[in-house]
Amino acid sequence: MGCKEVETVTEQTVADMIAQVPMFSNCTKRELSVIVRAAKVVNHRKGAVIAHEGQRGLGLFVIMDGTCSVTIGGLPKVTLGPGDFFGEIALLDGGPRTATVTALTDVRLAGITEWVFRGLLQEHPSIAIRTLESVAGRLRSVAKEPV
């Protein structure tokens, strides 16, 4: 599938990238460390389709190096680069992808699967609480509050 696990990235580099994901913004350094240890770093070659719209999502991916295109219904939406991420909803519910993500260059990603993340939430309830708080805060900020 054009994907190869690599070991050459430091845990701190992965931690710095994952800490930028808004749903993890309320996590402590200790909690982030637990999440980072569960993450895997993978490479994809230019042209690889990393996520297919409509197919079941595997989890969350943070771009460490390279760029990816995002399309919905075949129409270009955005280009993602280092520090950007995709799959946060799939991380929570394992549901279908809402977009297709394709590598525009060779890319290095830090990823965490939905099933591994669920295990972390069971072992570390504080991560679950902080993740829910962050997601709720984001939803609240975009929802129109009744006057």
Side-chain angles (χ1 to χ4, degrees):
M1 303 223 353
C3 173
K4 178 180 157 191
E5 196 167 318
V6 294
E7 307 266 342
T8 59
V9 177
T10 68
E11 190 172 297
Q12 186 59 52
T13 302
V14 177
D16 291 344
M17 292 293 193
I18 287 179
Q20 294 179 40
V21 177
M23 70 186 289
F24 299 136
S25 63
N26 288 339
C27 290
T28 65
K29 287 186 183 216
R30 181 182 166 278
E31 291 163 342
L32 281 172
S33 178
V34 169
I35 294 166
V36 167
R37 284 194 304 273
K40 300 292 182 214
V41 176
V42 294
N43 287 336
H44 288 275
R45 296 254 182 233
K46 177 180 178 179
V49 178
I50 301 165
H52 295 270
E53 183 177 359
Q55 291 185 356
R56 183 177 185 272
L58 296 177
L60 169 81
F61 294 93
V62 180
I63 300 172
M64 299 181 67
D65 296 304
T67 57
C68 295
S69 67
V70 177
T71 60
I72 298 176
L75 301 173
K77 292 298 177 185
V78 69
T79 298
L80 303 176
D84 291 328
F85 59 92
F86 58 93
E88 68 276 19
I89 302 303
L91 184 64
L92 297 174
D93 71 1
R97 295 287 191 198
T98 58
T100 295
V101 179
T102 305
L104 293 174
T105 65
D106 289 351
V107 294
R108 181 180 306 186
L109 308 170
I112 184 165
T113 61
E114 176 255 344
W115 55 90
V116 168
F117 190 64
R118 284 184 185 268
L120 287 181
L121 298 182
Q122 291 172 346
E123 291 177 34
H124 304 275
S126 63
I127 294 174
I129 291 167
R130 292 186 197 283
T131 301
L132 287 171
E133 289 170 347
S134 292
V135 171
R138 289 185 75 198
L139 287 173
R140 200 176 285 282
S141 71
V142 297
K144 292 183 179 177
E145 297 288 339
V147 256

